[in-house]
Amino acid sequence: MPTLSEKLTAAKADLADRDGVLVAFSGGVDSSVVAAIAHDALGDDAVACTAKSETLPEAELADAKRVADEIGIRHEIAEFSELDDPNFVENDDERCYHCRTMRLGSMFEAAAELDIGVVCDGTNADDVSAGHRPGLRAVEELDAYSPLLQHDISKSEVREIAERYDLSVADKPAMACLSSRIPTGLEVTEERLSRIERAETLLRQWGFTQFRVRDHDGLARIELGEAELSRALDEEFVRAARDHFTDLGFDHVTLDLHGYRTGSVSPESDVHSATGE
């Protein structure tokens, strides 16, 4: 079995053989590692591209720009609207397939404009066995190239490579698109996405690091990491969350005592979005 150093060397050599690559770049650890390897292998012939839509939090877009600058890779933005697709808005258990198809489609369009023939994504070796992942079908259908998967690089190895490249996102928690906060079967609307983003921005400003705000048709269900859950039992937090979330348009505000869980409003074992939920 090859060592991590051997896997990394092989992945770098693989990308170096290409005339150029465009990396579907969210700023999460997986796509950041692919971008770092690609830039290491190809220099200016590697481009990172972030898909901007209503489901991408502004904070994540800003972070993607920062990490691209940290890597030194050219960074492009491709804009599109998932809300233009009624199949996505319907929010059935294939939502991630529709989302990933549009998101990667915008990457291929950007690559064509830049005369780049290869689009890479950040799928790693653990993703294929991580339960219901309809988004992976879009990767296969569009023929995006997944160097981490191709060279059998697991999630833990991705983080180790990120540390070798001294990337600030080496320990960054997985981040899913905002639509993953809306229960399957409830329509994805701009209003819901907006109030979720603003609510999560408040939690970030209040110092929380691992959280989700699930929108159950006007009821906000706050999930926090176990280490931070006790802070939310403070009377001051309860009052602030109730008042501010109500101002954002939520009718009711609750705290989930189970804490932060991936896929808690989606089909069993579902993990959404290109970066994971």
Side-chain angles (χ1 to χ4, degrees):
M1 180 178 293
T3 65
L4 179 55
S5 293
E6 289 170 338
K7 292 180 183 181
L8 178 56
T9 298
K12 192 185 305 181
D14 180 0
L15 294 178
D17 282 341
R18 320 276 172 160
D19 292 330
V21 300
L22 181 143
V23 180
F25 184 73
S26 68
V29 63
D30 294 324
S31 64
S32 294
V33 162
V34 174
I37 296 172
H39 182 257
D40 199 3
L42 291 165
D44 292 341
D45 290 326
V47 176
C49 186
T50 302
K52 180 182 178 182
S53 69
E54 299 91 343
T55 64
L56 179 70
E58 283 294 330
E60 289 300 303
L61 178 60
D63 208 36
K65 292 177 180 178
R66 179 189 63 77
V67 177
D69 186 61
E70 182 180 292
I71 293 169
I73 193 171
R74 175 180 171 183
H75 188 222
E76 299 287 337
I77 306 293
E79 296 193 37
F80 73 104
S81 176
E82 288 145 327
L83 300 183
D84 288 340
D85 184 350
N87 292 315
F88 174 83
V89 171
E90 184 182 349
N91 195 20
D92 61 14
D93 60 5
E94 291 290 291
R95 185 196 69 231
C96 280
Y97 168 74
H98 303 304
C99 172
R100 196 72 167 272
T101 298
M102 286 185 285
R103 194 170 291 273
L104 273 177
S106 71
M107 297 292 101
F108 278 94
E109 291 173 3
E113 291 176 4
L114 296 170
D115 197 26
I116 294 175
V118 178
V119 172
C120 295
D121 86 320
T123 303
N124 65 62
D126 289 339
D127 287 333
V128 294
S129 59
H132 182 59
R133 298 294 297 269
L136 294 182
R137 193 167 84 249
V139 175
E140 295 172 359
E141 290 178 355
L142 291 171
D143 199 26
Y145 182 62
S146 307
L148 302 177
L149 176 60
Q150 180 67 29
H151 295 279
D152 196 31
I153 297 173
S154 67
K155 186 71 173 189
S156 61
E157 290 174 324
V158 168
R159 294 196 182 279
E160 187 174 336
I161 293 172
E163 291 176 354
R164 293 189 185 191
Y165 277 106
D166 198 26
L167 298 180
S168 60
V169 293
D171 296 320
K172 183 178 180 178
M175 176 58 67
C177 75
L178 292 171
S179 61
S180 68
R181 280 65 151 174
I182 301 173
T184 301
L186 187 64
E187 281 194 352
V188 179
T189 66
E190 190 166 2
E191 177 187 7
R192 287 172 178 142
L193 294 172
S194 177
R195 68 189 177 197
I196 291 167
E197 180 175 9
R198 287 182 288 164
E200 292 193 350
T201 296
L202 282 173
L203 293 178
R204 187 176 295 106
Q205 291 173 345
W206 292 339
F208 293 96
T209 59
Q210 189 174 47
F211 52 80
R212 293 286 188 269
V213 176
R214 312 290 186 182
D215 189 337
H216 295 264
D217 200 17
L219 182 150
R221 176 164 59 88
I222 302 171
E223 294 180 5
L224 298 171
E226 185 176 348
E228 299 179 306
L229 195 55
S230 61
R231 286 185 54 202
L233 301 177
D234 178 78
E235 183 178 341
E236 184 177 349
F237 171 82
V238 171
R239 187 165 51 248
R242 181 191 62 214
D243 293 346
H244 285 81
F245 281 32
T246 299
D247 289 344
L248 295 178
F250 288 103
D251 300 318
H252 304 282
V253 185
T254 65
L255 177 66
D256 191 329
L257 298 183
H258 289 288
Y260 169 80
R261 293 165 293 155
T262 61
S264 68
V265 295
S266 306
E268 185 177 2
S269 300
D270 197 0
V271 182
H272 288 288
S273 188
T275 54
E277 180 181 352

